[in-house]
Amino acid sequence: MACARITAFFFFTIQSCFAFDLLQIIDPPVQQKSNVRYSTGLPHTESLNGNFTVYQTEEMNVSASTRLHWIDSWGTKEERSDLYSIQLGSGTSFQVGEDQTAGVQVMFGSASDKPFKDSSVNTLGITARYSFESYPLSKWIILLNYSNNRPFLNNIPIPGVVYSYHPKEHLRIIVGVPLAAIEWRISEHWHYSLLAFFPFSLKTTLGYRVLPFGQLLVGLDYAQQNYIEHGRSNPDERLFFRETRAFLGFRSPISRKIFAEIETGYSYNRLTFSAQGQWKDRVNETVLDPAWFGRLSLSTSFDL
């Protein structure tokens, strides 16, 4: 399995407010596929993420995207409102030269305790990108992102740059600002992956093949999500939810196109706070109890 396809399991972890999918900024238009991932777990969370190709040629890809996420009262004894993130969008990628591509993706929605209650809880993310090959096995990607729901510098366009190196079918390395990723099939049995969006999320996984198509997994997942609470007194304030998860899991295909993944583990360093930004003064900080968790995910990718 090529690394570009393995990465499909991880690209959904990039927050939708940043308005890009990892595969869309790396793969040329003709290689981009539709992807769907559904997850459900305890404490109660559910998500449905998809990227669907609606038009594709050798030189262009047009897609529609959806990101749906629900989280309950975060597994605490305190009464809290559920949180929702509902994002819909569209993107396009196109060749602008023999070894150059460009594209734009737009995501609109709401991430709040009361989604779409009014315009104050709506979210918008736009990312433009341009990539070019520096050598046959590597490329540079230039990004420009606008968002009103980042952990920092909301409503300000921010540039980024990413370098992708793909020397072998079983190895791909992506480094840059604001993300880094590694997909490495170390041997016939061992596989390692890392996806980091600095400094707000990181997931690293080591897999060992125990069956012809099954993998045992062990990993660490640090994630931060941000929401816009309805009725807040300061319009620049965001609600942050942060946790670290250590997990064991198992991944296996259940058909030619569908993969299942089961994870169980321990969630710790859990807290919520409100602030105008990641490094601004915090208010209403609450440390949440550690908790055991379980999660089931189903993933698929397919051509137009």
Side-chain angles (χ1 to χ4, degrees):
M1 183 184 295
C3 286
R5 301 277 64 84
I6 296 172
T7 311
F9 290 109
F10 305 100
F11 82 103
F12 289 120
T13 63
I14 296 180
Q15 294 189 39
S16 59
C17 61
F18 291 94
F20 62 81
D21 296 332
L22 184 56
L23 293 182
Q24 281 202 329
I25 71 170
I26 300 298
D27 288 344
V30 71
Q31 293 181 15
Q32 294 174 15
K33 291 190 174 185
S34 297
N35 297 272
V36 182
R37 183 179 179 92
Y38 169 75
S39 295
T40 183
L42 294 172
H44 298 123
T45 63
E46 283 194 82
S47 63
L48 177 63
N49 303 292
N51 193 70
F52 306 95
T53 294
V54 296
Y55 176 77
Q56 188 175 49
T57 67
E58 291 288 332
E59 298 181 345
M60 176 177 286
N61 180 285
V62 179
S63 63
S65 301
T66 180
R67 307 283 180 268
L68 309 176
H69 184 74
W70 162 71
I71 184 170
D72 73 353
S73 57
W74 311 333
T76 70
K77 299 177 181 178
E78 301 178 39
E79 190 68 27
R80 296 176 180 270
S81 298
D82 290 0
L83 294 172
Y84 307 86
S85 179
I86 304 169
Q87 312 289 330
L88 301 174
S90 181
T92 182
S93 300
F94 49 90
Q95 296 285 150
V96 294
E98 183 177 355
D99 300 318
Q100 305 167 62
T101 62
V104 63
Q105 187 166 13
V106 179
M107 298 294 291
F108 174 79
S110 184
S112 178
D113 54 336
K114 296 181 179 180
F116 300 108
K117 181 70 174 181
D118 56 42
S119 61
S120 70
V121 296
N122 291 345
T123 61
L124 175 65
I126 305 171
T127 297
R129 61 190 182 278
Y130 170 75
S131 68
F132 58 93
E133 290 189 4
S134 53
Y135 295 98
L137 302 176
S138 64
K139 67 171 61 177
W140 288 93
I141 303 102
I142 311 300
L143 305 167
L144 183 64
N145 170 260
Y146 167 86
S147 176
N148 70 337
N149 190 34
R150 294 194 201 98
F152 67 105
L153 296 179
N154 284 312
N155 300 303
I156 298 174
I158 297 178
V161 59
V162 176
Y163 176 74
S164 173
Y165 181 55
H166 195 179
K168 301 177 182 179
E169 182 183 4
H170 59 269
L171 175 64
R172 170 172 275 176
I173 301 171
I174 301 168
V175 293
V177 178
L179 64 92
I182 298 172
E183 287 293 336
W184 184 17
R185 194 168 68 242
I186 303 170
S187 68
E188 182 181 357
H189 292 281
W190 290 96
H191 168 259
Y192 176 74
S193 68
L194 177 144
L195 177 60
F197 193 94
F198 302 113
F200 313 109
S201 66
L202 182 149
K203 184 171 184 178
T204 181
T205 305
L206 180 66
Y208 179 76
R209 194 177 75 177
V210 293
L211 297 171
F213 298 102
Q215 279 187 322
L216 287 176
L217 307 172
V218 59
L220 191 70
D221 186 359
Y222 168 78
Q224 176 175 281
Q225 303 169 50
N226 40 294
Y227 298 87
I228 307 174
E229 286 190 291
H230 183 261
R232 65 201 183 282
S233 58
N234 186 336
D236 295 329
E237 194 172 84
R238 300 292 183 265
L239 174 65
F240 293 81
F241 171 50
R242 181 186 299 168
E243 67 176 340
T244 303
R245 294 184 173 195
F247 65 88
L248 296 173
F250 182 76
R251 178 193 301 141
S252 176
I254 58 177
S255 73
R256 292 185 62 186
K257 289 290 187 178
I258 301 175
F259 280 77
E261 186 173 321
I262 299 173
E263 292 180 1
T264 185
Y266 193 64
S267 176
Y268 60 99
N269 288 340
R270 307 171 74 230
L271 75 155
T272 67
F273 60 90
S274 296
Q276 295 182 46
Q278 170 77 18
W279 299 287
K280 301 291 186 178
D281 292 338
R282 301 177 182 180
V283 297
N284 301 324
E285 181 171 329
T286 303
V287 177
L288 307 177
D289 294 334
W292 294 95
F293 74 92
R295 181 165 56 194
L296 169 66
S297 301
L298 301 174
S299 304
T300 186
S301 63
F302 51 92
D303 295 312
L304 178 65

